[in-house]
Each structure stands twice: as structure tokens, then as C-alpha cells.
């Protein structure tokens, strides 16, 4: 069975600074996808970034980038130039390729961006 | 394009009652998944529907059921409610998902239905 671990329950960062959220996962699968979702206080789950395991290049989306280390089963999220609107719970999620639904989520990291 | 919509947004029920939640996916999306979010257990997968067929199911009791209609809208039903069923129920839709395909499309979530069982 796959598991996803986020070891930082809470983090804080000053506005405009950079922060990195950690995620590790355990799987015996070779084809899979990894995601970071953000859930602000409004509770709407929003996709931040997606990474295909077969791609060596790390995904980036504007201020968000990942460090994907397949051998180490690590998938960290870097947020550059943090903004107050980045304050949210961040969830790392795993999905086996071809899986029908069934995203496996970590417990989340609560990020607070301070002015 | 309109996003995933869920109704109602909030619901209060008492133990023993049943409840039906509704989810309308993004236009063109045929796969709908349901998740339960609680402070203790986090986010857990309930089931997934594609073309009116349940293709995958998480580890929940039979009191949790669902269905999907021909227009891809989905409902989930919880019968004989228990206090522990209090949760945020999230629905997500994705555009791909043909059986046998190894491609996985991204799931886009609705705002959720907050269910409180008294």
C-alpha cells in the first residue's frame, strides 16, 4: 500500500521569502503521479502543481516548483516570493498511474505567511 | 468553464438519518471521485465513478454509496448516520480515465459539503 508523509505539521514564512515544504512517499509502483494541493481557509482544494514520475525534469508553475527525487521517494514544494494569499494547508498527494480516482493524501502542512 | 459544484454546502442531520450529497463535474469531465475529510483521519478516498459505473472504492462501510447519472453528475448517499460521519465531503472531477489507460488526469475539486451529525 502506498503512503504519503508530510513531516512538518506547521510552518511559517515572512512575506517575500522562500519556503520549502517536505513530502516523502512509499510505493513499489514505477508509474505514478505526484501532486501538491492547497486548501485555504475557504476549504476549496486547489491544484498547485503536478509531477509525472517518468519525467526527470522538476515541474514549475510560476512561484511554485518541486524537487522530485524518485530514488529517495521525496517530493518537496518550494514557494518563492511568498504572498499572504499563500496562507493555507498544503497537501502532498500520490496517485498510481491508471488508478481510477484514489488520490492518497498526506496529513498536510499548515503554512502561515506573515506580513 | 464553470468549476466543480457541490450542493448543499452545509448540512445538519441527526444520528440515524440518511443524507444525499450532489456533485456536478466540470463540463466534459466524466470521472467523479468522492473524498471524506476529517481532522483525525485526514483525506480519505470513498469511491470513483466513470460513465455511470463505480470503478473503484475505498475502505468505507456499505452505508456509504453513490451513483452517477448519464450527464456525469454524481450523488453520494450515507444511510444510518453516525456521529463519526461528520466531515467535509469533497467531490473531484477529471477529464480522462478510460479503463486500461495508464494516463492519469488531474482531479479538480469542488468546494465541499460540510456535514454535521448531531
Amino acid at each position: 500500500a502506498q503512503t504519503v508523509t508530510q513531516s512538518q505539521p506547521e510552518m511559517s514564512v515572512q512575506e517575500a521569502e522562500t519556503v520549502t515544504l517536505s513530502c516523502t512517499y512509499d510505493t513499489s509502483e514505477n508509474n505514478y503521479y505526484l501532486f501538491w494541493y492547497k486548501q485555504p481557509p475557504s476549504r476549496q482544494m486547489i491544484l498547485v502543481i503536478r509531477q509525472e514520475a517518468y519525467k526527470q525534469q522538476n515541474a514549475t508553475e510560476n512561484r511554485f516548483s518541486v524537487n522530485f527525487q524518485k530514488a529517495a521517494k521525496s517530493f518537496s514544494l518550494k514557494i518563492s516570493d511568498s504572498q499572504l494569499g499563500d496562507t493555507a494547508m498544503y497537501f502532498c498527494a500520490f496517485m498510481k498511474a491508471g488508478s481510477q480516482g484514489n488520490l492518497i493524501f498526506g496529513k498536510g502542512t499548515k503554512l502561515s505567511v506573515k506580513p | 468553464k464553470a468549476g466543480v459544484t457541490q450542493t448543499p454546502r452545509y448540512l445538519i442531520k441527526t444520528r440515524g438519518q440518511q443524507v444525499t450529497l450532489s456533485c456536478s463535474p466540470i463540463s466534459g469531465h466524466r470521472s467523479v471521485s468522492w473524498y471524506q475529510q476529517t481532522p483525525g483521519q485526514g483525506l480519505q478516498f470513498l469511491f470513483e465513478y466513470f460513465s455511470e459505473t463505480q470503478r473503484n472504492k475505498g475502505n468505507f462501510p456499505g452505508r456509504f454509496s453513490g451513483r452517477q447519472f448519464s450527464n456525469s453528475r454524481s450523488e453520494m448517499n450515507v444511510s444510518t448516520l453516525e456521529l463519526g460521519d461528520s466531515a467535509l465531503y469533497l467531490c473531484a472531477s477529471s477529464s480522462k480515465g478510460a479503463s486500461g489507460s495508464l494516463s492519469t488526469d488531474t482531479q479538480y475539486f469542488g468546494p465541499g459539503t460540510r456535514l454535521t451529525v448531531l
Side-chain angles (χ1 to χ4, degrees):
Chain A
Q2 291 84 15
T3 58
V4 177
T5 302
Q6 293 179 249
S7 58
Q8 306 148 315
E10 289 193 45
M11 294 188 72
S12 66
V13 64
Q14 292 295 129
E15 199 175 5
E17 292 188 347
T18 295
V19 64
T20 299
L21 280 58
S22 301
C23 172
T24 58
Y25 58 95
D26 187 25
T27 185
S28 57
E29 300 290 334
N30 193 46
N31 294 319
Y32 53 87
Y33 299 80
L34 296 163
F35 305 85
W36 279 98
Y37 282 92
K38 149 184 179 179
Q39 190 177 42
S42 67
R43 310 301 285 176
Q44 175 86 46
M45 192 77 78
I46 301 164
L47 174 72
V48 175
I49 201 163
R50 157 190 164 122
Q51 174 81 43
E52 291 85 348
Y54 63 84
K55 289 187 178 178
Q56 292 187 334
Q57 186 172 6
N58 289 325
T60 62
E61 283 289 342
N62 302 313
R63 298 183 294 108
F64 300 88
S65 61
V66 298
N67 183 5
F68 173 48
Q69 302 289 329
K70 190 172 183 180
K73 296 180 182 174
S74 169
F75 183 60
S76 61
L77 174 70
K78 184 170 87 170
I79 306 174
S80 304
D81 186 25
S82 297
Q83 300 175 1
L84 296 178
D86 295 333
T87 293
M89 281 291 289
Y90 285 81
F91 292 95
C92 178
F94 169 99
M95 178 179 279
K96 187 176 83 169
S99 174
Q100 292 138 358
N102 202 8
L103 274 167
I104 298 169
F105 287 89
K107 293 292 188 186
T109 296
K110 184 176 181 180
L111 177 67
S112 298
V113 180
K114 300 184 184 306
Chain B
K1 230 181 215 183
V4 178
T5 58
Q6 291 187 245
T7 57
R9 294 292 310 278
Y10 301 91
L11 208 47
I12 299 175
K13 293 286 188 180
T14 56
R15 277 182 299 173
Q17 287 187 309
Q18 77 165 23
V19 67
T20 299
L21 313 181
S22 180
C23 171
S24 292
I26 292 170
S27 177
H29 285 194
R30 295 170 65 189
S31 170
V32 173
S33 299
W34 289 89
Y35 295 84
Q36 181 196 64
Q37 186 176 22
T38 60
Q41 298 299 315
L43 284 145
Q44 295 182 284
F45 171 72
L46 281 155
F47 30 65
E48 187 261 4
Y49 285 86
F50 182 84
S51 291
E52 302 179 64
T53 300
Q54 185 184 92
R55 298 192 301 180
N56 202 356
K57 189 177 189 305
N59 189 25
F60 278 82
R63 300 185 297 107
F64 291 82
S65 62
R67 60 178 175 167
Q68 187 181 35
F69 302 92
S70 58
N71 61 358
S72 295
R73 189 177 70 85
S74 177
E75 290 181 346
M76 70 162 279
N77 183 275
V78 188
S79 62
T80 318
L81 283 166
E82 300 177 0
L83 294 178
D85 297 333
S86 293
L88 181 69
Y89 289 89
L90 293 165
C91 161
S93 75
S94 65
S95 62
K96 294 181 185 173
S99 294
S101 168
L102 285 182
S103 70
T104 293
D105 206 7
T106 301
Q107 293 186 31
Y108 295 92
F109 285 81
T113 294
R114 167 73 66 187
L115 172 64
T116 302
V117 182
L118 302 176

